[in-house]
Amino acid sequence: MNEAEGVVAMADTYHNYVNGAWVPAAGGELHENANPADVRELVSIHSRSRRADAFAAVEAAKAAFPGWRDTPAPARGEYLARAAALLRERADDIGRDFTREEGKTLREARGETLRAAQIFEFFAGEGRRLGGRTFPADGRDTFLYTLREPLGVVALITPWNFPVAIPAWKLAPALVAGNAVVLKPATNTPLTAVRMFECLAEAGLPAGVANLVYGPGAALGDVFCESEDVRAISFTGSSEVGKALAAKAHQRLVKVQLELGGKNPLILADDGDLERAVAYAAAGAFGATGQKCTATSRAIVPRGRLEEFVAKLVAAAKKVVVGSGLRDDVDMGPLVDADALARVLGYIEVGKKEGATVAYGGRRLEEGDLAHGFFVEPTVFVGVTPQMTIWREEVFGPVLAVTAYDDFDEAIELANDTAYGLSATLVTKSLARAMRYVRQIEAGVVHVNSPTVGAACHVPFGGYKESSSGSREQGREVLEFFTQLKTVYLDI
Ligand code: UN1
């Protein structure tokens, strides 16, 4: 921090939330949280935990679990409803802190905060719907039924790209189902997690039921895999980390839920509305700076319409105003950190080297104040073939690969030519085509005439193939992950 350059040197320090209190990490280490739009601005300072802190949080959750399990589910839901109301009230302030630490535009950050409130509201209602089934029994006097019971302590590991929605969609179902939780949020977005936990604390959630620890993912993730008291781990993040975590956790037969990458296609059909396709491609590829696992990263376009599609997409990309998400006129904020910038620029170089052509963008933006942040241009590649790295690997930045097809079967084949299978969209006016695509596409979230992004809280979310593992998130389906079934033969 250099005050001579007019830098804000003052920032508040925040700690872990364990057993109902804000407590520093035992080692006293701290982590500085900078603004990715201008790294001269320190947003906040946070405890940096070690293994002992994670064990302490698990211990607190374990102690709180019996009381929470025995709290009637409708009452558990009421805590969530109160937290939802607080999130709504504070959406402007939370959105501002979130933009300052993650980079998304204020509109995106505020919208996501309201979405988190909606998630809490939905799962609050599930407190009155959780239940098992009754069955006919073979014995005349037997009452045969199932109960849906909590697992115990569950660990939640969440990414920075949806720093309020993803923690919400793991916390809310875990809590309403009666589990005690430990959340480890991404080190890039610790302040948004604090704001959410302030809402939970003020909603009166009993001490120890929800705990928050900051720190390096590998070390804390290991604790969750090793601790005998952790019964489930829900993780959203990179494929590489998710696979390693699952391998460790499976040794103890811990339930694991993984939400990993995507390489999501947009197909424009011969008959589809080209303007719409361009709008959806731009929204899907450049929204949140392309940092969504649901981002559109491949556009598959009829050869005869390619030129017009690319020209209109480039025009749309040109209109995207890049800058600090705090500014009203900005459409696209920075990438989240220096590593993300290096990775995205690296993929752009590989794309060029492998023979794809940049139709627009491809550069880091460094003019004026932008030099202090991690800004890239929205980028469109044409002439991309399925062998190329930018077709196969998740870039996680505002980079769209466009390719042409000759017939519709080929379009579907191209769309399915990926290790991932999270979301997809088709732009068409033909019902028959839409139905065929819905049947043949290998994706967990399938759109027709809408962008590949988004996830309504009351429906299941997750992918095919390597995008996900374990049960779906959100909707009632996620409660299968956060509960276990007890089958009861009761002979009266
Ligand atoms: C969305 O598109 O709004 O990490 C949700 C991600 C996904 C969530 C996407 N798990 O990007």
Side-chain angles (χ1 to χ4, degrees), residues 74-280:
R76 295 197 297 252
E78 281 160 22
Y79 288 101
L80 297 187
R82 284 199 288 276
L86 293 169
L87 281 166
R88 270 190 197 287
E89 252 172 63
R90 298 174 188 178
D92 286 340
D93 291 341
I94 297 176
R96 183 160 294 274
D97 282 337
F98 168 168
T99 293
R100 286 172 65 222
E101 71 174 357
E102 200 270 349
K104 258 180 217 192
T105 63
L106 267 179
R107 190 171 8 96
E108 289 171 324
R110 186 174 178 279
E112 191 187 318
T113 308
L114 294 174
R115 175 174 171 180
Q118 216 175 53
I119 292 166
F120 271 85
E121 286 156 2
F122 172 75
F123 284 105
E126 286 305 296
R128 294 196 177 272
R129 281 184 289 263
L130 270 177
R133 293 167 62 192
T134 58
F135 299 83
D138 290 306
R140 198 188 301 266
D141 291 328
T142 305
F143 178 33
L144 182 56
Y145 65 104
T146 56
L147 290 170
R148 213 163 251 300
E149 297 196 326
L151 302 167
V153 178
V154 303
L156 314 175
I157 303 176
T158 55
W160 46 263
N161 67 327
F162 282 92
V164 64
I166 293 179
W169 84 42
K170 293 186 193 296
L171 277 164
L175 290 174
V176 81
N179 301 286
V181 309
V182 178
L183 172 71
K184 194 220 86 70
T187 28
N188 275 330
T189 50
L191 187 55
T192 310
V194 169
R195 297 298 178 231
M196 179 174 234
F197 267 69
E198 285 170 350
C199 293
L200 285 169
E202 286 173 50
L205 199 72
V209 168
N211 305 276
L212 173 67
V213 279
Y214 300 109
L220 306 192
D222 277 353
V223 169
F224 301 147
C225 292
E226 289 165 28
S227 165
E228 293 290 328
D229 297 314
V230 174
R231 298 312 318 154
I233 303 174
S234 178
F235 169 89
T236 299
S238 76
S239 296
E240 194 192 343
V241 174
K243 284 178 187 172
L245 182 86
K248 277 186 201 146
H250 282 149
Q251 292 173 9
R252 218 163 42 74
L253 299 181
V254 167
K255 260 179 134 173
V256 177
Q257 180 181 51
L258 302 176
E259 280 301 329
L260 308 173
K263 195 69 200 170
N264 313 300
L266 171 146
I267 306 175
L268 170 62
D270 278 337
D271 59 79
D273 182 329
L274 191 134
E275 311 273 340
R276 274 178 178 244
V278 167
Y280 299 156

Side-chain angles (χ1 to χ4, degrees), residues 104 112 115 159-162 165-166 169-170 235-237 259-261 264 290-295 394 396 422-423 447 452-456 461-462 467 473-474:
K104 258 180 217 192
E112 191 187 318
R115 175 174 171 180
W160 46 263
N161 67 327
F162 282 92
I166 293 179
W169 84 42
K170 293 186 193 296
F235 169 89
T236 299
E259 280 301 329
L260 308 173
N264 313 300
Q291 302 174 115
K292 298 184 187 182
C293 58
T294 48
E394 184 177 46
F396 225 62
L422 186 56
S423 67
H447 294 263
T452 59
V453 295
F461 175 82
S467 284
E473 296 199 280
Q474 301 207 103

